Amino acid sequence: MTVLRFVLGDQLSLDISSLSDIADGDVVLMCEVADETRYVRHHKRKIAFLFAAMRHFAEDLEARGIKVDYVTLDDPQNSGSFTGEVKRAVERHKPDRLVVTEPGEWRVRQMMADWREEFSIDVEIRADERFLCTHERFADWAEGLKELRMEYFYREMRKDTGYLMEGDHPAEGKWNFDHDNREPLKKAVRAPERPTYSVDDTTEAVLELVSTRFGNHFGSLEKFDYPVSRRQALHYLNWFVDEALPDFGTYQDAMRQGEPLLFHSHLSGLINCGLIDPREACDRAEEAYREGKAPINAVEGFIRQIIGWREFIRGVYWLHMPDYAASNKLNAQRRLPDFFWTGETELNCLRQCFEEVRESAYNHHIQRLMVIGNFCLLCGFDPREVQEWYLVVYHDAYEWVEMPNVVGMILYADGGLFASKPYAASANYIDKMSDYCADCAYSPKTKTGEGACPFNLLYWDFIARNEKNLRGNPRMNRTYATLDRMDGEKVKTIRKEAQAFLEGLPSGGDY
Ligand code: FAD
Ligand code: DLZ
Ligand code: SF4
């Protein structure tokens, strides 16, 4: 009896459920397909990273004696879609059964729904056990709750997993040490130098393929040095835990020009594609804490991002799809300006983030949330366009994780399903947490008139413009009290200048 085991590009783990009972004679199918590269036109680096990781994973499987049927993008017979490639593989191998681990994205899950009938074959779709929280567990937890709060979910996950627990109590007496994690970077603080990984023949072939086939996609392929194999990924995880984790918490919210990573892990791409298991990342971090090598604020902060935010975001996605994609509670309609693609803007904070993402397909969380995301929220950009941008530009972007972060976290487009208020901020926050403002054409301290930072104008314009939706929110009371106390003429000026800025935005561009 032959079982065809289909492994997707973001399921690159030997422990993936679709391989758990692999036997002699089974075949693992992996395929590079055009449809996945163009349902949005991903950053070149993301495609290159994923194809290189897929090819290395296939080599690892083969080295273990597993039969792999790997279809490359340039195979002349390649049909260009998952469905087409499974169909062809069924014809080639005549398996008795098809086994696959559930995909991360709704779109792909819908595709699979018809396969049993289409191929007249038994199709088994298994749970993705890399996640710590099952769909059922999340739905049970969310049942009857009007608002979903990550913090309470996270505490459940801490108890379930035992991470940083002392019996029934959280280590060092607190669930959350975020309060200690908001330090701006002092000048003397230096981030550790990252390890780089050389390009072997397999990756070289992928880089050539991507530059030929996707030359007109956004982003750069230069200096590609990210881990692409399990061995490299493990080496990288160990480096992070030893060298960067100890300061990860303290400087988690800080930004510095020319230093995109600081103490962040840069593990999201590796975790999301399967090369690193979220549990092993948390195990290593906890070990460092128990051995006294990393403090509680760093380790708790890191583990919270993974067993808290990451699991929570996935839970929200599956609980609310497919309707969630169209959320637009604030009725935001503005087109995304073309400088999101070209990077040509005088707002230095945005320019820095756009340049970094073009080069590396990465921005850290605060850049995504408080610089770019904040700007999208304040300007009222169409959530669909913002979703697409975030899905295209980041190497770690898959819809299950990108969408709730965009719709719920930055745009408040779901009306506050899990954010208790919009993450809106004026220039003050960016000025405090970064050195961007010192090199900017605008001044963060200037509220109106010549040189006024657009974030200052847009902030109050956003608050006034969305009064109908936001004034009733108790967490916005102080903000509306301040607006009420502001001089009427001043508010008019701010809104007029904000309007002029918005109208002057370059029109939406293609990418
Ligand atoms: P670190 O700061 O080192 O954090 C450690 C790990 O925690 C990350 O690797 C990631 O696995 C996890 N994590 C942290 N925050 C989140 C979060 N909010 N949601 C899910 N996981 C989290 N993350 C993605 O993996 N893919 C995306 O497409 C994505 N889109 C985002 C869009 C927006 C608008 C925002 C605000 C955040 C988004 N994030 C996304 C979450 C987060 O910004 C990235 O996971 C993080 O920046 C990746 O860098 P890192 O590995 O250095 O993370
Ligand atoms: C993102 C992506 C890309 C660009 N290409 C492929 C591919 O050619 N083959 C593949 O198996 N997976 C790819 N992926 C990842 C898939 O889009 C991902 O597995 C689904 O979106 C489900 O989460
Ligand atoms: Fe950004 Fe305003 Fe600071 Fe310029 S002054 S970097 S636009 S926050």
Side-chain angles (χ1 to χ4, degrees):
M1 172 155 145
T2 300
V3 180
L4 183 65
R5 299 175 185 270
F6 183 29
V7 173
L8 298 170
D10 56 355
Q11 300 181 341
L12 309 180
S13 161
L14 283 174
D15 297 323
I16 198 79
S17 56
S18 57
L19 299 183
S20 63
D21 50 354
I22 191 159
D24 284 351
D26 290 355
V27 178
V28 173
L29 172 69
M30 296 179 68
C31 49
E32 299 167 3
V33 291
D35 278 4
E36 292 306 300
T37 64
R38 65 185 176 208
Y39 73 94
V40 295
R41 285 153 49 99
H42 305 281
H43 194 302
K44 293 187 196 79
R45 217 174 185 85
K46 174 179 178 185
I47 303 176
F49 160 62
L50 211 64
F51 284 9
M54 285 172 69
R55 290 184 185 193
H56 281 90
F57 182 70
E59 287 169 9
D60 283 353
L61 290 178
E62 277 165 346
R64 286 178 153 74
I66 294 171
K67 186 170 173 198
V68 182
D69 184 354
Y70 191 100
V71 184
T72 56
L73 191 77
D74 50 8
D75 181 333
Q77 308 296 317
N78 192 326
S79 63
S81 72
F82 283 151
T83 301
E85 283 318 288
V86 170
K87 182 168 187 281
R88 289 198 319 119
V90 167
E91 285 161 5
R92 275 196 301 277
H93 302 290
K94 311 213 171 354
D96 304 285
R97 213 151 56 90
L98 173 67
V99 173
V100 61
T101 293
E102 59 175 330
E105 297 190 353
W106 175 268
R107 178 183 62 82
V108 182
R109 185 71 182 77
Q110 292 305 100
M111 247 179 243
M112 290 180 179
D114 300 330
W115 284 359
R116 186 184 304 258
E117 221 168 280
E118 216 169 323
F119 310 135
S120 309
I121 188 178
D122 182 18
V123 178
E124 188 188 346
I125 301 178
R126 296 182 176 170
D128 190 339
E129 291 164 355
R130 289 173 299 170
F131 290 95
L132 289 87
C133 183
T134 62
H135 298 308
E136 295 73 24
R137 171 89 172 89
F138 191 83
D140 282 351
W141 172 78
E143 173 89 48
L145 297 176
K146 265 201 356 233
E147 296 161 336
L148 307 179
R149 293 290 173 259
M150 195 290 294
E151 183 61 31
Y152 299 114
F153 168 77
Y154 165 58
R155 291 179 193 182
E156 294 298 307
M157 296 303 287
R158 286 274 293 278
K159 288 183 221 159
D160 281 5
T161 59
Y163 282 125
L164 298 177
M165 295 297 292
E166 309 288 359
D168 293 339
H169 301 286
E172 301 198 24
K174 275 201 302 187
W175 292 105
N176 183 318
F177 288 78
D178 221 13
H179 190 68
D180 303 338
N181 290 357
R182 294 178 189 144
E183 286 288 307
L185 269 181
K186 292 172 204 74
K187 269 221 171 75
V189 176
R190 289 276 152 259
E193 203 172 313
R194 301 267 151 178
T196 55
Y197 298 89
S198 58
V199 167
D200 64 8
D201 291 347
T202 303
T203 304
E204 188 60 53
V206 166
L207 291 173
E208 265 175 52
L209 173 77
V210 173
S211 96
T212 311
R213 285 284 292 262
F214 306 104
N216 58 356
H217 280 213
F218 176 77
S220 158
L221 275 179
E222 296 292 304
K223 297 191 199 142
F224 186 93
D225 59 6
Y226 199 54
V228 291
S229 67
R230 167 71 181 159
R231 196 174 53 80
Q232 292 177 342
L234 257 187
H235 174 270
Y236 181 73
L237 169 65
N238 288 328
W239 174 87
F240 166 71
V241 171
D242 292 343
E243 305 296 331
L245 177 65
D247 284 316
F248 168 83
T250 308
Y251 302 116
Q252 204 178 342
D253 289 4
M255 297 170 280
R256 183 186 275 164
Q257 201 157 303
E259 292 195 50
L261 286 161
L262 296 173
F263 298 93
H264 286 270
S265 72
H266 208 199
L267 281 168
S268 50
L270 299 175
I271 296 176
N272 292 349
C273 82
L275 288 182
I276 291 293
D277 189 274
R279 288 179 190 83
E280 75 184 331
C282 294
D283 289 347
R284 287 288 290 110
E286 175 161 28
E287 214 173 276
Y289 167 69
R290 302 275 177 212
E291 289 170 0
K293 293 178 182 160
I296 186 74
N297 69 311
V299 175
E300 187 282 315
F302 180 72
I303 289 181
R304 172 160 29 90
Q305 304 312 313
I306 293 184
I307 69 166
W309 276 115
R310 187 170 184 273
E311 296 284 332
F312 176 83
I313 287 289
R314 183 213 188 214
V316 167
Y317 176 80
W318 281 101
L319 199 60
H320 289 279
M321 278 301 276
D323 299 343
Y324 200 66
S327 311
N328 192 358
K329 182 77 181 177
L330 299 183
N331 193 25
Q333 305 283 351
R334 193 171 294 281
R335 302 255 0 240
L336 209 62
D338 58 7
F339 59 67
F340 272 64
W341 304 110
T342 63
E344 287 165 16
T345 166
E346 291 204 315
L347 284 79
N348 188 43
C349 50
L350 288 178
R351 189 169 67 239
Q352 295 300 326
C353 294
F354 292 153
E355 273 171 17
E356 285 171 9
V357 80
R358 164 179 287 281
E359 247 173 55
S360 65
Y362 176 87
N363 287 135
H364 77 55
H365 185 64
I366 296 301
Q367 295 173 308
R368 297 186 202 198
L369 178 68
M370 296 308 293
V371 178
I372 306 170
N374 184 22
F375 186 71
C376 291
L377 171 74
L378 299 184
C379 290
F381 294 137
D382 179 344
R384 288 284 201 177
E385 283 203 39
V386 181
Q387 285 179 51
E388 183 166 351
W389 186 83
Y390 274 89
L391 196 53
V392 166
V393 303
Y394 294 113
H395 79 301
D396 55 24
Y398 300 87
E399 193 183 82
W400 66 266
V401 53
E402 163 275 321
M403 188 187 289
N405 272 301
V406 168
V407 168
M409 181 113 67
I410 66 168
L411 297 184
Y412 204 72
D414 58 9
L417 175 68
F418 66 87
S420 58
K421 67 178 184 115
Y423 276 95
S426 66
N428 194 30
Y429 178 86
I430 297 173
D431 192 25
K432 184 171 147 225
M433 296 313 300
S434 77
D435 59 359
Y436 295 143
C437 300
D439 274 344
C440 186
Y442 298 103
S443 153
K445 305 270 185 261
T446 309
K447 309 290 185 217
T448 55
E450 181 79 24
C453 170
F455 280 91
N456 292 337
L457 304 168
L458 293 168
Y459 176 79
W460 286 113
D461 185 58
F462 169 82
I463 298 297
R465 184 171 9 112
N466 290 291
E467 185 168 358
K468 207 164 77 186
N469 279 307
L470 301 179
R471 194 184 269 275
N473 179 339
R475 291 212 57 211
M476 300 296 288
N477 284 351
R478 276 175 53 186
T479 309
Y480 279 101
T482 309
L483 180 67
D484 293 342
R485 278 197 308 274
M486 274 162 79
D487 176 70
E489 281 310 306
K490 188 175 164 194
V491 176
K492 259 197 207 149
T493 308
I494 289 174
R495 297 209 62 189
K496 206 169 108 210
E497 291 183 14
Q499 203 51 37
F501 175 83
L502 289 170
E503 279 165 15
L505 285 173
S507 60
D510 278 334
Y511 64 97

